[in-house]
């Protein structure tokens, strides 16, 4: 008894400041799926596993941490297991093995009632195909989460109206979902997820079904909302540009397994393997890499009279000043000189994109 | 050498095609072989071992069924605990129906007239229609009810409404919970699906007798038969509607922490609402159809005057009573359909709830006034005799029907002779006059060739059951009529179906007519055919064709329409002409639908051919009717019901397995 409590304490302390922590998560679909994890078969490739046991490992041994207030993007191609992963986080799909710790509590071990409590108050989700209730007005769709936890009608309408305004749908609260465009429907989905005032929000490819222009608007909307409400967000996408735009950190999945976790600059600047390198090869590096990735130690003969810039500045934003300045730019953090960047260094990044 | 080279270049192609082609050819040879052997056997042995049983004779099985009936009646009389639940149900339904009759049609509670007279009932019904379905339905209801009164069948109309209404109410109470249960459990679905299949395959005629055995004859038995006949569509469609609620919405609401109960009440039921109301519509129309047939077991209502008129071949009287049924059918259909469309539409339009409340309040008071008036004035309580135009209309119809029959005698007689001499008689001779073992072997062989081993097994079992009932000869007579009617149904179904499937305009014109025809109770079809062709086998066949054609056309048209537009476009771009398009693209691709149309056509035809037994159709249907009219023929009628069911299952299984095979061929 004490042992398990100690273990839990230990687990909690290691994830101390994480809003969400995932430990060794598995999801295997198929007959006798629970027997696969921990056996020799777990090491087989996906195709071999399917051939030998008839099981598909959608998520294989994935672990990661998400800090409070962070936007954490999970990206991968279709079939990589990312949608299954995000559903395992609140057990919309029951995980086969592993732990999901939200505010230090293991979701996998929760009772039905506790899980429902979690879904009602702490974690909410936005879906690719919206999942709105066609027979309800916008405002009652937004209020649904409050309604099922027993908030009275006046109060939940008031709260829902606030969120309708927040996501920019004022004036449409009495419309029905099928009278709205796809982008507006997803704003309803967003407002519904926000209405329960969750600490963690999950997004399952929320903008994949939208037109490119509307998608861009909605991405900006998420960035704006993140600034305003500061929720922890886990965002699933198959679109690398979207991942780089929104993510504080990105997790890349392939065949159910984690390939790399890192900041956008890390993923682009130092791909973990050929798969990721291939993936990011089309990305304009100057839009993602920061000065810390292109700086070098100053050469003895260089003049140290150039302007100072922070290491987190993106190359594209720094380019004009570096090229305008005759002398190399000093990369400085907390008054310490980390390195220098000159015109050649900048051009090398930009020219590399062209080839 | 050249051939060898070609084979080397495409070593796969000829190997793949050859066996398929050979099989296709040999199957047709097998059919031909079976047919030739059968005809040869018939020529040599016709009239022997036919198992024909004279009308007045019973075999031991029929006697045994009579004994069972006597035993059950004795046991019920003695209060055997086994039958007490049935007694309770019988008493309950009898009480409910009688109570409603006392309220609306029978003099009761110390009054010479019903508690609520005709004007009161029209007022209440109109108000209910206004509340649930809107103004147009309300006008329709008022008009239809008053018209039924002026046709002289006020009381029978109300009786029919009572039986239908009580049955539908019980259907809702049972059907929706069962539908919910099925939608939530795969195991329940697996357990109930075959039961529903059998309930829907059984021709309506065949379970009247066994139910009459348990529930006696009268209102209760009428309610129970109607209930059983009408329940499956509601269960099926509710379960389907609930199961197909968008999975994303289910996931989204469950991700917000809905309980199962909240999911059901707030998500599934509202989203499936329209589908469930479609089910309710179908159930209501099925209930009306069966409530009329239940007149054979003394169910009160319009069925009684229809049957009385049909048996004395009084077309005019049958027509007038049938007209009331048509009014009722249109009224109930429109009302249930409008109820499904209304609620949502008015919620969306944002109709002022205050205004609606005032409207319903005012009209409600009017309805109450009409009730009050109908209690005060005799003319408003009992439908006044001087408004009754029924007899006049009946006489008119009789004289014009006579004129019609005289004038077109040559044409109708020619059609009758053609079908009888070239289709029906030869087929009936072959099926019924061959030795039973020869016909049975031929049926088994055909079933096997069409539907494979499973069709063979089903045919063997059902043939054995038919043999066991001792009514093989009559079953083969019925089968011959069914097949002829089914062939005619399919010919019309495919022609009109192709026409509709290819032209949106034709579809828009024909479909409403088909919808209307489908809502009519089965009995109604007998009336015009009686007027046109006179009593007999041919009437039964034509009524069956008329009854089955709408569904066959619809399925065929949907199949043609369902052919992928890309394929049609591709065929067009290669320069196919219209007949090539129909013959080489659309019909072959719609094969699955055509087999389904044949399946439904056969079942509809069978159930109507049997009902044709009422007007000289002969075969099993005649024996079923006889079972109700003659005490000593009960066993034979019940046996005929069993044989009808067996025949239905046989035809259903053969077509279903044929469809499964063709379905595979399509995907391959």
């Amino acid at each position: 008894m004490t042992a398990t409590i100690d273990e839990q304490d230990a687990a909690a302390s290691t994830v101390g400041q994480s809003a969400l922590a995932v430990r060794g998560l598995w999801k295997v679909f198929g007959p006798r799926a629970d027997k696969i994890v921990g056996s020799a078969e777990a090491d087989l490739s996906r195709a071999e596993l399917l051939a030998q046991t008839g099981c598909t490992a959608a998520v294989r041994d994935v672990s990661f941490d998400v800090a409070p207030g962070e936007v954490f993007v999970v990206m991968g191609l279709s079939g990589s297991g990312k949608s299954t992963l995000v559903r395992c986080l609140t057990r919309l799909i029951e995980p086969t093995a592993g732990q999901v710790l939200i505010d230090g509590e293991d979701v996998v071990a929760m009772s039905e009632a506790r899980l429902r409590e979690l879904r009602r108050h702490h974690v909410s989700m936005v879906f690719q195909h919206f999942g709105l209730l066609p027979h309800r007005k916008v405002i009652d769709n937004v209020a649904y989460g409050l309604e099922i936890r027993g908030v009275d009608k006046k109060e939940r309408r008031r709260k829902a109206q606030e969120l309708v305004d927040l996501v920019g749908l004022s004036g449409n609260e009495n419309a029905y979902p099928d009278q709205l465009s796809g982008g507006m429907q997803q704003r309803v989905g967003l407002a519904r997820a926000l209405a329960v005032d969750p600490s963690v929000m999950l997004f399952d490819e929320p903008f994949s079904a939208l037109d490119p222009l509307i998608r861009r608007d909605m991405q900006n909307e998420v960035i704006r909302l993140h600034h305003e409400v500061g929720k922890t967000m886990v965002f699933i996408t198959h679109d690398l540009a979207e991942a780089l735009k929104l993510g504080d950190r990105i997790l890349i999945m392939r065949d159910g397994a984690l390939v790399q976790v890192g900041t956008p600059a890390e993923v682009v600047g130092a791909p973990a393997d050929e798969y990721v390198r291939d993936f990011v090869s089309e990305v304009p590096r100057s839009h993602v890499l920061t000065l810390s990735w292109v700086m070098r130690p100053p050469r003895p003969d260089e003049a140290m009279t150039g302007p100072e810039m922070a290491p987190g500045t993106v190359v594209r934003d720094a380019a004009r000043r570096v090229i305008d300045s005759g002398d190399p730019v000093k990369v400085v953090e907390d008054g310490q000189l980390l390195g220098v960047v000159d015109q050649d260094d900048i051009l090398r990044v930009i020219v590399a994109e062209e080839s | 050498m050249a051939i060898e080279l070609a084979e080397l270049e495409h070593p796969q192609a000829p190997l793949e095609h050859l066996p398929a082609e050979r099989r296709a050819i040999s199957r047709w040879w097998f059919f031909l072989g079976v047919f030739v052997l059968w005809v040869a056997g018939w020529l040599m042995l016709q009239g022997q071992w036919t198992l024909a049983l004279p009308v007045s004779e019973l075999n031991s099985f029929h006697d045994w069924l009579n004994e069972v009936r006597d035993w059950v009646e004795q046991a019920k009389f003695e209060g055997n605990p086994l039958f007490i639940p049935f007694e309770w149900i019988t008493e309950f339904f009898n009480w409910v129906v009688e109570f409603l009759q006392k309220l609306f049609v029978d003099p009761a509670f110390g009054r010479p007239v019903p508690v609520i007279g005709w004007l009161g009932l029209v007022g209440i019904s109109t108000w209910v229609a206004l509340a649930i379905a809107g103004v147009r339905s309300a006008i329709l209801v008022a008009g239809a009810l008053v018209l039924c009164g002026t046709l002289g069948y006020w009381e029978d109309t109300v009786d029919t409404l009572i039986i239908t209404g009580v049955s539908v109410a019980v259907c809702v109470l049972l059907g929706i919970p069962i539908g919910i249960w099925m939608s939530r459990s795969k195991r329940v679905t697996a357990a109930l699906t075959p039961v529903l299949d059998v309930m829907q395959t059984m021709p309506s005629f065949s379970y009247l007798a066994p139910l009459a055995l348990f529930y006696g004859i009268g209102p209760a038995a009428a309610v129970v038969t109607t209930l059983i006949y009408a329940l499956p569509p509601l269960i099926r469609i509710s379960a389907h509607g609930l199961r197909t609620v968008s999975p994303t919405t289910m996931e989204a609401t469950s991700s917000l922490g809905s309980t199962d109960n909240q999911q059901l009440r707030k998500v599934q039921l509202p989203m499936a609402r329209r589908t469930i109301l479609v089910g309710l519509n179908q159930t209501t129309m099925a209930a009306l159809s069966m409530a009329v047939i239940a007149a054979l077991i003394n169910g009160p209502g319009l069925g009684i005057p229809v049957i009385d008129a049909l048996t004395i071949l009084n077309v005019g009287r049958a027509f007038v009573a049938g007209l009331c049924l048509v009014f009722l059918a249109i009224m109930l259909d429109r009302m249930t359909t409008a109820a499904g469309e209304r609620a949502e539409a008015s919620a969306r339009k944002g109709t002022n709830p205050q205004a609606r409340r005032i409207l319903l309040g005012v009209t409600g008071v009017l309805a109450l006034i009409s009730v009050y008036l109908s209690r005060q004035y005799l003319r408003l309580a009992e439908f006044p005799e001087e408004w009754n135009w029924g007899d006049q209309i009946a006489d008119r119809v009789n004289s014009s029907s006579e004129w019609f029959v005289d004038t077109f005698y040559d044409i109708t007689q020619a059609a009758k002779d053609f079908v009888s001499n070239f289709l029906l008689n030869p087929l009936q001779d072959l099926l019924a006059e061959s030795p039973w073992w020869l016909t049975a072997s031929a049926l088994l062989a055909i079933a096997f060739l069409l539907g494979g081993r499973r069709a063979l097994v089903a045919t063997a079992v059902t043939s054995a059951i038919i043999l066991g009932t001792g009514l093989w000869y009559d079953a083969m007579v019925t089968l011959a009529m069914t097949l002829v009617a089914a062939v005619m149904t399919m010919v019309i179904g495919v022609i009109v179906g192709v026409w509709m499937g290819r032209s949106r305009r034709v579809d828009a014109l024909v479909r409403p007519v088909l919808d209307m025809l489908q809502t009519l109770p089965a009995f109604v079809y007998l009336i015009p055919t009686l007027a046109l062709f006179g009593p007999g086998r041919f009437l039964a066949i034509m009524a069956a064709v008329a009854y089955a054609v709408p569904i066959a056309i619809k399925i065929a048209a949907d199949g043609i329409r369902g052919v992928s537009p890309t394929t049609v476009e591709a065929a067009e771009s290669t320069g196919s002409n219209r007949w090539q398009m129909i013959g080489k693209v659309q019909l072959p691709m719609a094969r699955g639908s055509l087999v389904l149309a044949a399946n439904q056509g056969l079942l509809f035809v069978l159930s109507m051919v049997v009902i044709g037994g009422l007007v000289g159709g002969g075969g099993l249907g005649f024996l079923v009717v006889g079972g109700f009219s003659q005490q000593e023929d009960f066993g034979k009628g019940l046996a005929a019901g069993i044989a009808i069911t067996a025949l239905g299952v046989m035809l259903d299984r053969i077509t279903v397995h044929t469809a499964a095979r063709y379905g595979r061929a399509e995907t391959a």
Side-chain angles (χ1 to χ4, degrees):
Chain A
M1 199 56 203
T2 40
T4 55
I5 288 172
D6 285 349
E7 271 172 31
Q8 275 179 1
D9 283 348
S13 68
T14 56
V15 298
Q17 60 278 52
S18 296
L20 168 70
V22 174
R23 296 281 171 266
L25 194 71
W26 281 84
K27 176 64 202 180
V28 184
F29 291 105
R32 299 168 59 80
D34 48 326
K35 299 280 180 284
I36 305 286
V37 181
S39 73
E41 284 153 340
D43 297 327
L44 295 172
S45 81
R46 226 187 208 189
E48 285 169 336
L49 184 69
L50 182 63
Q52 288 189 14
T53 65
C55 289
T56 309
V59 176
R60 317 167 60 111
D61 198 17
V62 171
S63 303
F64 59 86
D65 287 288
V66 181
E70 187 179 15
V71 179
F72 187 84
V73 175
V74 177
M75 88 148 269
L77 301 177
S78 57
S80 61
K82 55 192 191 305
S83 284
T84 309
L85 171 65
V86 75
R87 280 169 175 71
C88 287
L89 300 184
T90 56
R91 283 167 57 192
L92 288 174
I93 293 176
E94 206 64 47
T96 313
Q99 280 185 306
V100 175
L101 303 157
I102 290 179
D103 297 331
E105 193 179 356
D106 187 2
V107 176
V108 179
M110 281 180 184
S111 66
E112 280 289 316
R114 183 79 191 94
L115 179 65
R116 201 175 302 130
E117 202 61 14
L118 176 90
R119 290 175 179 178
R120 284 182 176 182
H121 295 277
H122 300 293
V123 186
S124 64
M125 189 158 166
V126 180
F127 293 82
Q128 181 177 3
H129 296 296
F130 322 140
L132 302 178
L133 295 165
H135 57 283
R136 288 175 170 227
K137 295 172 183 172
V138 165
I139 187 125
D140 293 323
N141 262 293
V142 174
Y144 183 83
L146 300 169
E147 181 182 333
I148 56 169
R149 70 189 200 203
V151 178
D152 71 65
K153 186 161 183 172
K154 206 170 158 196
E155 171 62 16
R156 66 179 190 244
R157 281 267 173 116
R158 190 191 59 71
K159 175 82 182 160
Q161 186 61 48
E162 263 174 37
L163 285 146
V164 168
D165 297 339
L166 180 69
V167 298
L169 284 175
S170 310
N172 291 301
E173 54 274 354
N174 287 322
Y176 283 85
D178 59 6
Q179 297 166 328
L180 303 179
S181 69
M184 288 164 91
Q185 289 189 37
Q186 194 55 295
R187 284 172 195 261
V188 180
L190 205 52
R192 176 176 64 185
L194 280 165
V196 298
D197 198 18
S199 55
V200 178
M201 291 181 77
L202 310 176
F203 294 79
D204 180 30
E205 301 204 40
F207 310 140
S208 303
L210 305 178
D211 294 337
L213 279 181
I214 296 173
R215 191 182 312 162
R216 202 183 57 193
D217 282 352
M218 293 298 294
Q219 287 162 357
N220 293 334
E221 187 75 20
V222 166
I223 292 171
R224 180 177 73 83
L225 288 171
H226 187 243
H227 281 304
E228 283 182 28
V229 298
K231 307 282 183 200
T232 308
M233 296 181 174
V234 176
F235 197 104
I236 308 294
T237 182
H238 64 255
D239 177 359
L240 182 62
E242 188 168 80
L244 295 172
K245 181 171 181 178
L246 298 174
D248 292 324
R249 283 189 305 144
I250 299 172
L251 183 157
I252 296 179
M253 276 181 91
R254 181 176 52 168
D255 287 351
L258 184 156
V259 182
Q260 185 173 9
V261 189
T263 63
E266 281 169 344
V267 170
V268 174
D273 64 4
E274 274 309 308
Y275 178 75
V276 180
R277 189 186 312 283
D278 202 33
F279 224 103
V280 300
S281 62
E282 298 281 307
V283 174
R285 295 159 64 84
S286 64
H287 293 197
V288 179
L289 293 187
T290 54
L291 293 183
S292 58
W293 285 86
V294 294
M295 67 189 184
R296 55 175 172 77
R299 284 190 286 271
D301 56 326
E302 270 174 326
M304 298 301 289
T305 54
E308 294 183 358
M309 296 182 85
T313 316
V314 176
V315 169
R316 181 176 59 167
D317 301 336
R320 178 140 298 277
R321 284 180 71 191
V322 174
I323 289 167
D324 284 351
S325 141
D327 298 326
V329 166
K330 292 181 286 186
V331 180
V332 176
E333 188 174 39
D334 300 334
Q336 263 203 309
L337 180 71
L338 301 174
V340 295
V341 178
D342 67 8
Q343 298 177 5
D344 283 355
D345 301 322
I346 296 290
L347 285 174
R348 207 168 292 126
V349 176
I350 294 173
V351 170
E353 279 166 18
E354 300 295 322
S355 57
Chain B
M1 259 331 256
I3 294 164
E4 272 175 37
L5 266 179
E7 266 176 15
L8 277 176
E9 272 167 23
H10 309 283
Q12 297 282 312
L15 285 179
E16 267 180 7
H17 284 117
L18 246 175
E21 204 126 295
R22 189 182 292 159
R23 203 192 311 144
I25 292 169
S26 59
R27 198 152 58 134
W28 287 112
W29 279 115
F30 274 124
F31 274 118
L32 194 63
V34 169
F35 185 71
V36 167
L37 284 177
W38 192 3
V39 172
W42 167 72
L43 284 172
M44 286 185 289
L45 302 166
Q46 61 176 305
Q48 300 180 53
W49 302 294
T50 60
L51 305 183
L53 191 68
V55 178
S56 54
E57 257 178 51
L58 302 180
N59 72 6
S60 53
F61 179 61
H62 308 154
D63 286 331
W64 180 75
L65 286 175
N66 277 339
E67 279 162 28
V68 169
R69 189 252 336 251
D70 294 341
W71 179 80
V72 168
E73 278 177 358
Q74 185 65 27
K76 280 207 294 197
F77 182 71
E78 286 165 2
N80 188 321
L82 209 56
F83 294 97
I84 285 178
F86 295 107
E87 294 284 271
W88 284 344
I89 295 172
T90 310
E91 273 168 32
F92 173 72
F93 282 133
N94 277 336
W95 179 81
V96 171
V97 171
E98 271 161 29
F99 175 77
L100 291 170
Q101 281 179 323
K102 281 179 190 164
L103 214 51
F104 296 119
V105 283
D106 288 344
F109 304 115
R111 287 166 58 91
V113 288
V115 176
I116 295 174
W118 70 268
L119 184 71
L121 183 57
V122 171
I124 295 170
S125 314
T126 310
W127 185 78
V128 169
L130 182 70
I132 63 170
V135 179
R136 289 171 58 181
S137 298
I139 296 170
L140 187 68
V141 166
L145 288 178
V146 172
L147 275 174
C148 290
T150 58
L151 290 173
Y153 289 108
W154 174 256
E155 275 140 33
D156 289 320
T157 302
V158 177
D159 280 342
T160 298
L161 280 178
I162 289 172
I163 298 287
T164 310
V166 172
S167 310
V168 170
V170 180
C171 279
V172 169
L173 290 180
L174 290 176
I176 293 180
I178 296 176
I180 292 172
W181 198 25
M182 267 179 88
S183 76
R184 315 209 124 199
S185 154
K186 283 202 174 118
R187 209 172 304 161
V188 174
T189 306
L192 286 184
T193 302
V195 178
L196 295 176
D197 281 343
V198 171
M199 280 166 87
Q200 290 193 302
T201 332
M202 257 162 82
S204 43
F205 242 41
S206 56
Y207 47 75
L208 290 175
L211 285 174
L213 191 58
F214 287 108
Y215 298 99
I217 56 172
V223 169
V224 175
T225 39
T226 306
L227 175 65
I228 292 177
Y229 184 71
L231 191 55
L234 185 61
I235 296 180
R236 278 230 154 108
I237 298 174
S238 310
H240 172 79
L242 292 168
R243 213 181 290 125
T244 49
V245 163
S246 148
T248 318
T249 308
M250 292 293 287
E251 202 176 33
T253 46
S254 125
S255 85
L256 286 162
S258 309
T259 58
D260 273 3
N261 195 359
Q262 285 171 330
Q263 293 273 82
L264 180 67
R265 278 186 303 117
K266 293 176 189 283
V267 183
Q268 282 183 296
L269 282 176
M271 283 178 80
R273 186 169 172 265
R274 282 197 72 161
T275 318
I276 293 174
L277 282 168
V278 169
L280 183 65
N281 170 277
Q282 296 211 1
T283 286
T284 309
M285 301 326 290
L288 178 63
S289 179
M290 194 65 191
V292 180
I293 294 175
L296 283 169
I297 47 173
N298 279 6
L302 287 164
I304 292 173
V306 174
I307 293 175
D308 287 349
L310 285 176
T311 41
I312 57 166
L313 306 180
N314 185 333
V315 174
R317 292 227 62 84
F319 177 84
V320 173
L323 208 54
C324 292
L325 277 175
V326 173
F327 291 145
L328 281 190
I330 294 174
M331 171 183 121
L332 290 175
D333 179 46
R334 288 286 82 214
M335 213 167 109
T336 42
T337 310
E341 289 159 359
R342 202 204 61 97
E344 214 165 317
S346 76
R348 288 196 167 212
K349 260 186 288 172
T351 319
N352 185 353
Q354 190 71 35
R356 184 174 152 76
R357 235 170 279 147
I358 292 170
L359 175 74
L360 287 183
V362 171
T363 47
V365 170
L366 286 177
L368 288 179
I369 291 173
S370 70
V371 170
Y372 174 78
L373 291 175
S374 77
R375 289 171 59 86
Q376 295 300 313
Y377 299 97
L378 187 60
R379 285 164 56 85
L380 302 178
E382 280 179 335
F383 212 89
E385 201 44 45
E386 63 264 31
W387 292 2
N388 179 355
W389 307 326
D391 292 337
Q392 273 166 282
I393 296 175
D395 291 341
R396 272 305 150 69
V397 171
N398 273 334
S399 56
S400 53
S401 155
E402 270 160 34
W403 172 84
F404 189 91
V405 171
D406 288 344
T407 315
F408 294 99
Y409 180 80
D410 293 339
I411 299 174
T412 53
Q413 195 59 33
K416 207 166 163 175
D417 288 344
F418 175 81
V419 172
S420 300
N421 294 337
F422 291 96
L423 287 170
L424 189 53
N425 291 344
L427 188 63
Q428 186 173 320
D429 280 355
L430 190 61
L431 278 166
E433 300 293 333
S434 297
W436 70 267
W437 45 264
L438 182 61
T439 304
S441 320
L443 289 179
L444 288 173
I446 292 168
F448 180 70
L449 291 174
L450 281 173
R453 197 171 309 153
R454 296 174 68 181
L456 176 76
V457 172
T459 308
V461 172
T462 48
S463 302
I465 291 172
I466 295 172
L467 277 173
T469 62
L471 298 171
W472 178 263
Y473 183 86
D474 297 278
M476 289 305 114
V477 171
T478 297
L479 180 59
M481 289 199 290
T482 305
L483 291 177
V484 168
V487 167
M488 291 166 74
T489 302
M490 280 312 285
V491 169
I492 301 172
V494 169
I495 291 173
V496 182
V498 168
W499 198 29
M500 271 173 74
R502 289 171 54 87
S503 157
R504 294 229 165 251
R505 203 145 37 103
V506 175
D507 193 283
L509 283 174
V510 177
R511 197 169 283 267
V513 179
L514 299 180
D515 287 342
M516 221 284 280
L517 288 176
Q518 278 190 304
T519 63
L520 297 183
F523 263 25
V524 171
Y525 286 86
L526 291 175
I527 299 162
T529 36
L530 178 64
L532 288 178
F533 305 110
R537 285 184 311 173
F538 190 65
L539 181 163
I541 288 176
M542 292 317 286
V545 172
Y547 181 60
V549 145
I551 182 98
I553 293 178
K554 271 191 182 174
I555 297 174
D558 290 345
I560 299 285
R561 173 126 319 142
V563 172
S564 140
T566 325
T567 313
V568 173
E569 217 169 28
E572 217 149 72
S573 76
T574 55
S576 315
N577 66 26
R578 182 195 302 174
W579 298 112
Q580 286 169 330
M581 180 71 85
I582 294 174
K584 291 181 190 292
V585 180
Q586 290 176 319
L587 281 180
M589 284 185 77
R591 219 161 32 176
S593 299
L594 296 182
V595 181
L596 179 64
N599 171 283
Q600 290 297 300
L602 273 167
L603 294 178
F604 272 62
V605 159
L606 175 64
S607 75
M608 194 71 202
V609 157
V610 177
I611 294 176
L614 270 176
V615 279
L620 296 171
F622 174 74
L623 300 178
V624 171
V625 178
F628 296 121
S629 46
Q630 301 291 327
Q631 270 284 328
E632 62 273 24
D633 283 343
F634 176 87
K636 200 170 183 184
L638 187 52
I642 296 169
I644 292 167
T645 307
L647 209 50
V649 172
M650 180 198 286
L651 296 171
D652 178 57
R653 289 295 96 188
I654 292 176
T655 42
V656 162
H657 291 303
T658 310
R661 272 191 159 188
Y662 275 106
R664 267 211 303 281
E666 257 167 42
T667 52

